[in-house]
Amino acid sequence: MTEREWEVARMAAQGLTNQEIGEQLYMSVATVKTHLGRMYHKLDVTNRVQLAIRVLELGG
């Protein structure tokens, strides 16, 4: 996983919206969604709650 994907996943785990993540990382909402989609696949999760749990489990 790339550092950028981790960055997006950590922010999502903190409860930020896609819009808020995009604004803070200077990327489009579509790019945020792309990163999240890749993380869902790589971490074998299907939603933000599962993603947040997995990120925390992995020390995110």
Side-chain angles (χ1 to χ4, degrees), residues 2-48:
T2 68
E3 181 57 38
R4 195 60 152 182
E5 288 170 339
W6 272 114
E7 216 171 357
V8 170
R10 282 191 296 267
M11 293 176 93
Q14 293 171 354
L16 275 70
T17 65
N18 292 350
Q19 181 70 37
E20 291 169 331
I21 295 168
E23 289 171 1
Q24 289 191 25
L25 297 179
Y26 304 103
M27 62 175 65
S28 71
V29 172
T31 302
V32 172
K33 288 180 181 180
T34 297
H35 284 307
L36 288 172
R38 289 181 182 153
M39 292 297 290
Y40 286 3
H41 178 72
K42 290 177 181 182
L43 296 176
D44 194 29
V45 298
T46 59
N47 60 56
R48 284 176 102 93

